[in-house]
Amino acid sequence: MDNLLLLPQPRSLNLTSGQNLLNPGKYILLEAAENSSIVFCGQTLQANLRKYTGYSYALSASATGPTELFGIVLRRVNNPEITSQGYRLIIAPKQIMIEATTPAGIFYGVTTLTQIIKQSGLSLPCLEINDWPAFPVRGYMLDISRDKVPTMQTLYGLIDKLAEWKINQLQLYTEHTFAYLNHPTVWKEASPVTGQEILELDRYCKERFIELVPNQNSFGHMNRWLVHSEYSELAEVTEGYMTPWGYRPGPFSLDPTNPASFDLVHSLFDELLPHFSSRQVNIGCDETFDLGQGKSKELCEQIGKHKVYLDFLLKVSQDLIGRGYTVQFWGDILKEAPEVIPLLPKELIGLIWGYEETYPFELECSHFQAAGIPFYVCPGTSAWTSLAGRTNNALGNLLNAAVTGLKYGAAGYLITDWGDQGHWQTLPVSYLGIAAGAAFSWSVETNRNLDLAEALNSYAFEDRAGVMGQLAYELGQIYLLPGLAIQNGTMFFWHLQFSDERLMLAQNIKASSETTKRVPFVEETTLYKALELIERVLVPLNESRMDTADADLIKREFALTAQMMRLACQRALMAADPSRFRAAYGVEIAEMIEEYKQIWLSRNRPGGLKDSLAGLEKLLA
């Protein structure tokens, strides 16, 4: 078989002559100085053999039996030619061998062998694979604060996918959704992740060679705290602030001039960190838009806004460094003042994020490289504020980050998956971006031309009919029609988010304004073309034959996504008369909202649903 499709594709795969015919009654032999270190790898292979072949292979740590009994050997070796996460997989006619210097390498060999078995059945092609990752850290970050907090079942299933795709770091972006015992007011409506659940997730991740890194924003994005009277004195502003996109009401960032702001952050990490085995922590500190607009205005005018920001960042991070942690922070504020980057301690890791396919990662990477400060490149799935994703943009952004990160010596690659404005995208919409990022961060050279739709069929949707991967890919391409693509989102999403007046402005039905200049007009012909494409792409949905436990839910999720896209087009077409839109589609909107609720609760906790629904319910108002 010369057309093996793996995710990620290995660096070196050489087919040799012959086949290995799997037979029942064999053993998996563990060979390591401490066999306990690779028992989980053997158990994982055991379970996958049972799932895909029906055969039960027992584990053995002794090779004293007949040689022909040992169908598969997992062997830890001391070989400098194999990197710490690398492995060698040899499928010979009589035996399969996985060699690695670490348990993680053995595990990655097992995931590759599993994919070959899944694809080839009982007759495996003889081959030799030599493989290792480009980035030592290949991470995924999921936003659990706007507004979805996944159930434990959802998180376990997601972790299994990440492990199969050789992702080795996971972060759950948190603002107010950890159940701090000392701060119940903040999370009481959010169905937060508890301390016990983090302990369980940490163990589950660790078994699969994934580092669960704590993530708690601690400067900007603190509005969910600061709206409460107990914390309002810590706010930089109370009434509102200006952003690059206009005025926003309410508080947002902590006041860096108030010592109690640091005391709060200190107390949060006191409680949060003991639940994680990781010695890294992401403290956020991004998008401090209101800094210098309120209580810190005078100090910012005296010493400069970036110096005020840097002092607070250093105060928080040096406390954590003193506890033995490596500290991650988002690098967007310091890109405005690259001259201060050399002032950072080497125990910090800058997270360079950008979400458009043409984002200039090169400039920021060069600044951190020149300063000798470690950094990750952080592209995105392009799923948020889009409904169906932005396939072309996701692939361009993820590839750009990988190529540039490798050029400048990035220490890691973190795929980000946000939930801005209500987290309206369903989880399977993100699979395309996660899978592509996993592939590029493992090996750009062998995955640049990966058949991603087919890889999704095999390893995300397990679709024997070969439908879902292409459907997800193509539904995420419709945004390319003229006027539907905007920075960091699609007009499908915003045509549902806009108020009636804002939509009329966008469609140039009311008098021109500054708003109109920032929002592209969408031609009627484009909207009708989008409706036609949505229907065409969705036609084969019910022909899919997915073997996943959530197959029916996935179908419903993509059907809901298409329905929301259609309603967005119809609302834009009727922008001149919102009441006509409600009259024509009121029943469909109500049905869509009810389905949205049910799908939400199938993967996520109830907290946050009310906030997320508010934007949809206004369509009926």
Side-chain angles (χ1 to χ4, degrees), residues 178-478:
F178 177 76
Y180 288 102
L181 300 181
N182 292 312
H183 306 282
T185 302
V186 174
W187 52 259
K188 67 180 180 179
E189 302 294 334
S191 301
V193 179
T194 67
Q196 177 172 331
E197 288 172 330
I198 290 295
L199 289 168
E200 293 167 356
L201 285 172
D202 189 82
R203 176 188 54 79
Y204 197 83
C205 285
K206 202 169 184 180
E207 286 178 337
R208 289 153 182 80
F209 304 94
I210 294 174
E211 180 182 8
L212 182 64
V213 173
N215 182 317
Q216 170 62 62
N217 220 328
S218 53
F219 197 173
H221 288 280
M222 293 294 285
N223 50 303
R224 294 278 196 166
W225 292 76
L226 300 173
V227 293
H228 298 285
S229 59
E230 299 99 304
Y231 309 98
S232 60
E233 285 300 313
L234 304 181
E236 167 75 12
V237 300
T238 54
E239 300 302 320
Y241 55 98
M242 288 300 298
T243 76
W245 308 281
Y247 181 82
R248 297 286 174 88
F252 190 71
S253 298
L254 291 172
D255 169 17
T257 67
N258 189 338
S261 294
F262 173 74
D263 292 340
L264 172 65
V265 172
H266 183 98
S267 72
L268 298 186
F269 289 121
D270 280 347
E271 186 173 343
L272 178 68
L273 297 181
H275 296 91
F276 296 80
S277 60
S278 173
R279 301 305 295 176
Q280 297 194 79
V281 55
N282 185 341
I283 64 172
C285 297
D286 61 317
E287 296 187 326
T288 51
F289 300 122
D290 51 336
L291 183 62
Q293 296 184 37
K295 295 172 184 173
S296 71
K297 182 177 180 180
E298 183 177 345
L299 183 61
C300 287
E301 289 173 348
Q302 288 176 359
I303 67 173
K305 185 172 71 171
H306 292 107
K307 181 64 166 59
V308 174
Y309 173 88
L310 180 63
D311 287 347
F312 189 80
L313 172 69
L314 290 176
K315 191 172 184 180
V316 174
S317 59
Q318 285 169 345
D319 170 65
L320 294 166
I321 291 168
R323 307 187 201 189
Y325 284 89
T326 297
V327 178
Q328 301 178 9
F329 74 100
W330 300 110
D332 55 302
I333 303 301
L334 293 189
K335 75 179 180 183
E336 302 167 5
E339 67 276 5
V340 306
I341 294 175
L343 303 177
L344 299 174
K346 299 297 188 287
E347 293 87 354
L348 261 63
I349 295 177
L351 304 176
I352 300 174
W353 60 269
Y355 304 133
E356 299 305 305
E357 57 185 315
T358 56
Y359 186 78
F361 283 106
E362 188 143 355
L363 180 62
E364 291 180 63
C365 289
S366 66
H367 289 150
F368 276 88
Q369 183 197 48
I373 303 298
F375 64 93
Y376 292 179
V377 283
C378 306
T381 62
S382 297
W384 62 93
T385 61
S386 74
L387 298 184
R390 297 184 289 156
T391 298
N392 263 23
N393 186 80
L395 297 180
N397 179 232
L398 291 157
L399 181 61
N400 175 18
V403 171
T404 309
L406 290 174
K407 178 179 177 181
Y408 286 92
Y413 181 101
L414 182 65
I415 307 159
T416 59
D417 200 3
W418 298 99
D420 298 39
Q421 306 295 322
H423 213 139
W424 284 2
Q425 77 274 14
T426 61
L427 180 60
V429 168
S430 295
Y431 290 167
L432 182 146
I434 302 170
F440 296 149
S441 62
W442 185 268
S443 170
V444 170
E445 296 82 0
T446 54
N447 288 282
R448 186 186 292 268
N449 298 313
L450 176 71
D451 186 342
L452 187 57
E454 194 54 44
L456 291 171
N457 281 330
S458 296
Y459 305 120
F461 301 116
E462 298 185 34
D463 185 8
R464 287 174 281 116
V467 167
M468 288 307 304
Q470 193 66 33
L471 189 152
Y473 191 102
E474 291 181 0
L475 201 63
Q477 289 289 62
I478 299 176

Side-chain angles (χ1 to χ4, degrees), residues 18-23 57 71 91-96 121-126:
Q19 291 182 318
N20 181 294
L21 301 176
L22 295 176
N23 290 298
Y57 279 29
I91 301 178
K94 299 296 183 183
Q95 192 176 73
I96 299 171
L122 298 176
S123 179
L124 309 185
C126 288

